[in-house]
Amino acid sequence: AVIRTLIVDDHPAVRAGLVAVLRGEPGLVPVGAAADEQEGWRLAQRARPDVVLLDLQLPGGDSLALCRRMKALARPPRVLIYSAFVDDHLTLPATLAGADGMLDKGAPMLDLFDAIRRVARGERLLAPVTPERLAEAQAKVPPDDWPIVAMLLAGTAEDDVAATLGVGDGEIAARIARLFARLTPPTARARA
């Protein structure tokens, strides 16, 4: 089966290189390459990829919020965070964003191909969120927002989170964006 893949990365050389190597790998078909959050969102809706390779550092954008938006589509793609800043401090924010996996850009290409195929099959390539990471998060998250973290970890849809807390969708989206900002390590945050 063919796996339709969208690349979202702000570096032109990385996008071009990934398109080239994906074209050369049987069964993997690049269906688009976006430089920023807005273009990535448009292509995710139009190209209907099976898997999105999503860089964490997008200029003027929030990759984790983009991941959440993509996962809320009627036919959501699998999202593989593909970044030079992958470590276990990102597991909680990536899980809250609905990502299906994370892979370091330093990994060999064969590992990337394998990761794309595995998330396309429905496998999760995210480590479990450890009690240590939850304790760290609790120190960074206001008590009023901790129920949001718990519901998102349980897989609750954003509109259901809003309804449970009795707030509007816009407020929940803003609070989730603030959660990502608080929980994402400074090394992995988007460049302005």
Side-chain angles (χ1 to χ4, degrees):
V2 167
I3 300 171
R4 298 165 49 82
T5 308
L6 170 64
I7 298 150
V8 184
D9 194 295
D10 63 323
H11 292 288
V14 172
R15 287 193 310 275
L18 286 170
V19 166
V21 297
L22 290 175
R23 279 193 180 128
E25 181 66 11
L28 303 183
V29 177
V31 293
D36 58 34
E37 182 181 355
Q38 293 77 21
E39 190 180 5
W41 176 239
R42 280 195 304 275
L43 284 174
Q45 294 173 91
R46 191 168 60 234
R48 297 175 65 120
D50 300 306
V51 175
V52 175
L53 288 181
L54 180 61
D55 185 23
L56 270 181
Q57 291 195 322
L58 297 176
D62 183 339
S63 298
L64 295 174
L66 176 59
C67 178
R68 276 205 66 74
R69 287 171 66 197
M70 288 180 181
K71 297 305 281 185
L73 288 168
R75 187 178 166 268
R78 304 289 181 183
V79 178
L80 181 63
I81 292 174
Y82 187 59
S83 173
F85 301 99
V86 168
D87 71 22
D88 69 333
H89 288 89
L90 279 172
T91 303
L92 178 59
T95 301
L96 295 176
D100 298 285
M102 288 192 303
L103 186 68
D104 192 289
K105 281 184 176 176
M109 277 298 126
L110 290 177
D111 290 358
L112 174 62
F113 301 153
D114 181 56
I116 291 170
R117 289 184 174 104
R118 289 174 65 192
V119 297
R121 285 195 303 263
E123 288 184 49
R124 287 187 52 79
L125 301 181
L126 282 175
V129 177
T130 64
E132 295 80 20
R133 295 293 168 250
L134 284 174
E136 286 174 10
Q138 207 155 10
K140 297 175 185 174
V141 173
D144 287 356
D145 285 345
W146 196 248
I148 298 172
V149 172
M151 285 186 269
L152 293 179
L153 280 176
T156 308
E158 209 166 296
D159 53 348
D160 292 335
V161 173
T164 300
L165 297 178
V167 298
D169 291 343
E171 182 181 332
I172 281 297
R175 287 170 73 179
I176 290 171
R178 285 194 300 273
L179 281 175
F180 290 151
R182 286 185 178 107
L183 295 174
T184 304
T187 54
R189 285 201 192 115
R191 294 177 299 267

